[in-house]
Amino acid sequence: MSKRLLLSRILKRSGVFALLDALPSRPGVIVLNHHRIGDASKTRYDRGVFSQTAEGLGEQVRFLQKRMPIVAGEELEELLTGKRPLDRTYAAITFDDGYLDNYTNAFPVLRSLGAPGIFFPVIEYAGSDAVPWWDEIAYLVRNTDRPVLEVSTPVPLRVQVGSDREAAIRPFLRHYKRPENQDSARFLQELRESAGCSLPEPGRRFLNWGEAREMVAAGMEFGSHTCSHTILSQQSAEQQRWELTESRRILEKELGLRIHSLAYPVGSSSAFTDETEKIAIDAGFSLAFAFQGGWNRSGSIRPSHVQRISPAPMMVSLESQVFGLTRAIWTP
Ligand SMILES: [Zn+2]
C-alpha cells in the first residue's frame, strides 16, 4: 500500500472525511489564497510564497469541485455582499502578486478543469523582472557568507545566520512587515550591506497584460493588489487612496473589465486598518480580501474584510491536508 493511500485510510477512520464532507451543508464561502504555484525547492527566492505544485493545485480543485461550487466574479460578489442568499458552502480560489507561474502553472490547470481563479497582480510588477522585498530578503539571507546579519530599521535586529537559512529568513520578513517600519527602502539597503551580496539577473518573473487578457478571455477574474504592493497601514490616507484608485483604473484600462475586488498587500490584521477599509469602499471596491482569518460564515461577513485561508500548511481540501500531513509525517 502506498504511503498516501495508507494515510488516506487513517484519515477516513478518524472521521476527518466525515467532517470535511459535512462542510457543504454549512452556509458560507471558503476563499483559498495562493501566491506561487510550482516547486518551491527550485526557487532562489522566497519559498514561503509557494503553496502548491501544479499537480497539487489540480487535486485541490477536483476535491473542491466534488463538494461545492467554485465561484468568482459577480456571483461571488453577490454572495459576499448579501445580494444572493448563502444557501450552502461555496469556494473561491485566489492568487496574489501575479507571478508568471500563475499564468504558466496555475492557469492551464484551472482552464482544463473549468474552474475560475481570481488573480491579484501588482501593477508595477506586471511583465517585469521585479524582485519584491520578500524575495530579496530570502535571497540575501540564503546566499550571504556572513555569519551574522543585522539591520537598525525600524529597530535593531541581529540574527545568527547558521546553517538553517530558511529559519534565519523569517525574522527579517517579520521585521520588514512591522507597522512602524516607515522606511522600507532603508531597511533593504541595510540588509544588502550587511549580507554583502547582490541579486543575480532574474529574467521575467511576473505575468504581463497580454497573458492577463488571455486568462480573462478563458473565464479568469482579476482584482487589484495595489500599484506597488506597499503595506497600506504604513502609508498616509492620501497615499492609500492613490494606490487603490490608480491600480483599479489601470486594471480596467488594460483588461476592459469592471474591477470590483481588492486584496490587501500582506493582508494580515496589521497590514490594513479600518481607515483602509473605508478608502477601499470609496475607491469602488465592493470586496476586499485579507490574507488570514479562516472561512466566511453566513451572518458574519464584512465585504471590506473578506477572510481567506492559506492553503498551506493546514489546508481545507482533504488532498491538501493529506499532502501537508504526508510531508509532516514522512519527511525525515
Ligand atoms: Zn501580495
Side-chain angles (χ1 to χ4, degrees):
M1 193 186 299
S2 74
K3 283 174 181 172
R4 201 172 139 209
L5 188 59
L6 178 68
L7 193 65
S8 136
R9 292 203 177 158
I10 292 167
L11 283 171
K12 243 179 208 161
R13 247 180 273 138
S14 67
V16 176
F17 269 51
L19 188 69
L20 285 163
D21 282 334
L23 275 175
S25 64
R26 301 182 66 193
V29 185
I30 294 168
V31 185
L32 296 183
N33 186 194
H34 293 283
H35 290 81
R36 300 196 66 179
I37 299 298
D39 183 349
S41 70
K42 295 214 167 84
T43 187
R44 296 183 288 191
Y45 305 101
D46 186 6
R47 292 180 188 159
V49 288
F50 284 81
S51 49
Q52 287 287 354
T53 60
E55 189 196 17
L57 178 66
E59 298 217 16
Q60 187 178 79
V61 171
R62 281 191 292 273
F63 175 87
L64 291 170
Q65 282 178 321
K66 273 187 226 146
R67 287 161 177 86
M68 62 196 78
I70 299 177
V71 292
E74 277 180 25
E75 191 178 3
L76 178 64
E77 185 182 18
E78 289 178 6
L79 288 166
L80 286 169
T81 55
K83 290 190 187 126
R84 190 188 287 228
L86 269 168
D87 51 343
R88 55 168 302 155
T89 307
Y90 295 82
I93 307 175
T94 67
F95 299 82
D96 286 8
D97 302 335
Y99 278 97
L100 183 55
D101 57 52
N102 289 184
Y103 173 74
T104 56
N105 296 351
F107 172 48
V109 170
L110 295 168
R111 182 174 48 189
S112 72
L113 294 172
I118 308 169
F119 295 84
F120 295 100
V122 178
I123 300 295
E124 289 176 8
Y125 299 165
S128 82
D129 61 358
V131 180
W133 53 265
W134 57 92
D135 278 331
E136 180 168 4
I137 291 170
Y139 182 89
L140 294 173
V141 178
R142 198 179 294 120
N143 289 285
T144 186
D145 52 14
R146 310 255 170 98
V148 173
L149 292 178
E150 55 192 326
V151 293
S152 64
T153 305
V155 290
L157 172 70
R158 191 180 149 87
V159 175
Q160 302 267 2
V161 175
S163 57
D164 187 353
R165 295 295 168 109
E166 300 310 306
I169 291 167
R170 287 193 287 273
F172 287 102
L173 292 175
R174 276 199 302 272
H175 206 71
Y176 182 98
K177 290 185 230 176
R178 292 169 72 122
E180 65 268 37
N181 180 16
Q182 302 286 322
D183 196 347
S184 44
R186 183 165 156 203
F187 169 99
L188 282 175
Q189 192 51 40
E190 286 176 0
L191 185 61
R192 280 176 206 132
E193 283 165 16
S194 183
C197 58
S198 53
L199 294 169
E201 283 291 317
R204 182 158 75 93
R205 307 185 68 232
F206 290 89
L207 61 84
N208 64 32
W209 294 125
E211 288 156 350
R213 283 190 281 272
E214 187 188 334
M215 293 164 79
V216 167
M220 304 296 136
E221 188 195 340
F222 277 76
S224 166
H225 200 38
T226 74
C227 294
S228 69
H229 204 280
T230 186
I231 295 175
L232 292 163
S233 60
Q234 296 172 351
Q235 300 296 332
S236 68
E238 191 188 350
Q239 187 62 22
Q240 294 184 53
R241 200 167 292 115
W242 181 85
E243 286 276 350
L244 301 195
T245 51
E246 183 65 2
S247 60
R248 184 158 177 259
R249 185 187 72 76
I250 292 171
L251 282 166
E252 292 193 335
K253 180 172 75 95
E254 292 290 349
L255 303 178
L257 294 173
R258 181 177 71 94
I259 297 294
H260 62 84
S261 299
L262 166 73
Y264 300 115
V266 177
S268 57
S269 53
S270 62
F272 60 101
T273 63
D274 292 348
E275 184 182 42
T276 311
E277 289 187 44
K278 286 199 199 82
I279 293 169
I281 294 164
D282 291 346
F285 293 102
S286 54
L287 297 179
F289 295 86
F291 174 47
Q292 49 191 204
W295 82 303
N296 300 283
R297 196 174 339 135
S298 180
S300 62
I301 297 171
R302 192 155 91 224
S304 59
H305 187 158
V306 180
Q307 309 196 103
R308 292 190 290 181
I309 295 169
S310 171
M314 272 309 287
M315 305 166 194
V316 165
S317 83
L318 178 65
E319 272 81 359
S320 304
Q321 287 203 13
V322 170
F323 287 155
L325 287 169
T326 306
R327 255 204 320 269
I329 293 168
W330 300 106
T331 305

